[in-house]
Amino acid sequence: MDDKKMEMLEKYFSDFQESLAKVETLDELNRVKGQYLGRKSLMGDFLTQLRSLSPEEKRIWGQKLNEIKSRMEEDLKKKYEWLMFEKGESSSFIDVTLPGRKQWVGSFHPVLIVRDQILSIFQSLGFRIESGPEIESDFYNFEALNIPPDHPTRDDQDSFYLSPGWLLRTHTSPGQIRAMQKLTPPFKVVVPGRCYRRDAFDATHSPMFHQIEGLVVAPSISMGDLKGTVAIFVRRFFGLHRQVRFRPSYFPFTEPSAEVDVSCGVCQGKGCRSCGYSGWLEIMGAGLVHPQVFAKVGYDPEQVRGFAFGMGVERITMLKFGVTDIRWFLENDVNFLEQFKALR
Ligand code: DAH
């Protein structure tokens, strides 16, 4: 290759720039591109001729040709962007071969869906929703709930202490105390919230979980009120055919205390693998408010009565949807989470 060819190439490039400057439409742009960079263009010829050159010439000309070719491509790209975005060609040009852009629609977390379903059932029964802090003092989390200092639930093993006297709440029951301090009886409240315990992280335990606390205070409240309210809740939430059972139990803040079971929805109470062959599934703790608890907030135990209950939202979600491992709720596996999309 020689000077003449070099001249030709330079003229070629300036012709290209001149033609490009006149371009006003995408069609014209494509024509210029074909004319100057297509297989039958001078550039195409030059590139074909490269093959017959000596290695030394090949190196020099190859470099030169590539340089001009990429400048031309760069100019074409700039012109294309100008046409599309500044001259507004894009509105008259739709590339139907482009794949569609999928809109990503999020979904609510199953635990929050169930939390809200539970809360709305209680709201429809006249309960108001209250909340409390996740960092609680010893007083609210334990002492006011009649949990004496030597009680096992105060053990370091079970609680996350932040400093002496302050911890991450281990249950939503401190919400009872706060509600009583804030409100004047009669009232009905539900208190949802996150709770924390130094538990193993296994199929049924998680160091962070959700509870919903319930509290009703009025001049005359009995176990009958508790049973009736819980039965209405269970049938609305799990289904009309489900049975409710109260088993005697112990909590420091209630007397009498009970654990509430719902009949197994898989075997209808006959006994199967999912209910451990008992026919029943435990769903909450409950009872009548202990007079000591009323005394801690300055209520007269002679004047008021109350019932309270507390349930684990993860546990109830697992029972409702047959989720067998609590860790699923914290995995952030979109395939798992998306299954609950339709529920809200
Ligand atoms: N706070 C209890 C727990 O975390 C649950 C509970 C039991 C709450 C009985 C109550 C109740 O309000 O009356 O295990």
Side-chain angles (χ1 to χ4, degrees), residues 270-320:
K270 288 186 197 74
C272 67
R273 219 168 49 139
S274 34
C275 55
Y277 300 96
S278 73
W280 297 95
L281 303 159
E282 188 192 319
I283 54 162
M284 66 172 87
L288 295 186
V289 178
H290 198 290
Q292 285 293 340
V293 174
F294 281 141
K296 292 279 185 192
V297 292
Y299 282 13
D300 181 354
E302 299 295 324
Q303 299 295 314
V304 285
R305 300 282 155 96
F307 72 72
F309 56 84
M311 58 186 125
V313 186
E314 277 80 358
R315 181 171 166 77
I316 290 191
T317 309
M318 289 166 82
L319 294 178
K320 176 114 172 182

Side-chain angles (χ1 to χ4, degrees), residues 170-173 176 197 211 213-214 251 253-254 258 285-287 308-310:
T170 58
H171 51 180
T172 45
S173 300
Q176 291 187 33
R197 280 183 205 175
Q211 283 190 342
E213 194 78 13
F251 299 102
F253 35 90
T254 44
F309 56 84

Side-chain angles (χ1 to χ4, degrees), residues 48-238:
T48 317
Q49 283 172 32
L50 269 185
R51 277 182 232 146
S52 52
L53 299 181
S54 71
E56 177 61 7
E57 279 182 317
K58 213 184 254 179
R59 197 179 58 77
I60 298 166
W61 276 91
Q63 216 171 11
K64 185 75 193 162
L65 287 174
N66 264 332
E67 184 195 313
I68 293 200
K69 192 166 162 253
S70 48
R71 277 168 69 183
M72 289 165 92
E73 281 165 350
E74 184 64 21
D75 289 350
L76 283 163
K77 192 172 152 232
K78 280 202 191 114
K79 188 81 188 192
Y80 173 80
E81 281 165 5
W82 176 80
L83 280 170
M84 292 293 276
F85 304 113
E86 283 178 51
K87 198 161 169 293
E89 280 288 302
S90 60
S91 54
S92 59
F93 171 79
I94 297 168
D95 185 349
V96 293
T97 65
L98 281 176
R101 276 190 214 112
K102 203 178 153 198
Q103 287 292 322
W104 185 262
V105 180
S107 52
F108 281 88
H109 193 281
V111 169
L112 298 190
I113 293 172
V114 165
R115 178 198 66 181
D116 290 350
Q117 286 177 352
I118 296 171
L119 290 177
S120 74
I121 291 171
F122 283 103
Q123 263 185 311
S124 78
L125 297 174
F127 285 70
R128 56 187 279 170
I129 300 173
E130 288 289 332
S131 65
E134 290 180 26
I135 296 174
E136 273 294 13
S137 68
D138 230 83
F139 175 79
Y140 285 101
N141 199 79
F142 296 130
E143 199 186 316
L145 289 160
N146 195 33
I147 302 172
D150 55 357
H151 196 276
T153 61
R154 281 194 179 220
D155 204 316
D156 279 353
Q157 293 294 305
D158 301 317
S159 314
F160 287 112
Y161 273 90
L162 301 171
S163 60
W166 293 93
L167 71 162
L168 295 176
R169 69 177 167 205
T170 58
H171 51 180
T172 45
S173 300
Q176 291 187 33
I177 306 302
R178 291 181 179 276
M180 287 191 278
Q181 287 178 337
K182 178 176 163 186
L183 306 168
T184 314
F187 62 79
K188 305 187 248 192
V189 293
V190 271
V191 189
R194 281 185 179 153
C195 307
Y196 302 85
R197 280 183 205 175
R198 284 183 58 182
D199 270 338
F201 195 33
D202 61 24
T204 52
H205 299 86
S206 162
M208 189 280 289
F209 55 97
H210 296 74
Q211 283 190 342
I212 293 177
E213 194 78 13
L215 174 68
V216 173
V217 181
S220 72
I221 286 288
S222 68
M223 280 301 271
D225 297 307
L226 171 62
K227 285 189 86 171
T229 305
V230 167
I232 288 171
F233 161 70
V234 165
R235 301 226 164 89
R236 282 222 206 141
F237 183 79
F238 288 104

Side-chain angles (χ1 to χ4, degrees), residues 22-41:
K22 291 190 196 123
V23 162
E24 292 282 338
T25 66
L26 282 174
D27 275 349
E28 287 166 22
L29 185 76
N30 280 330
R31 221 173 300 129
V32 169
K33 185 177 175 185
Q35 188 186 338
Y36 286 89
L37 283 178
R39 249 191 308 138
K40 290 188 184 135
S41 66

Side-chain angles (χ1 to χ4, degrees), residues 5-23:
K5 275 194 174 162
M6 190 61 95
E7 236 171 76
M8 265 172 90
L9 195 58
E10 261 148 33
K11 168 102 173 52
Y12 186 64
F13 183 58
S14 62
D15 284 353
F16 162 78
Q17 286 181 311
E18 225 169 277
S19 304
L20 191 62
K22 291 190 196 123
V23 162

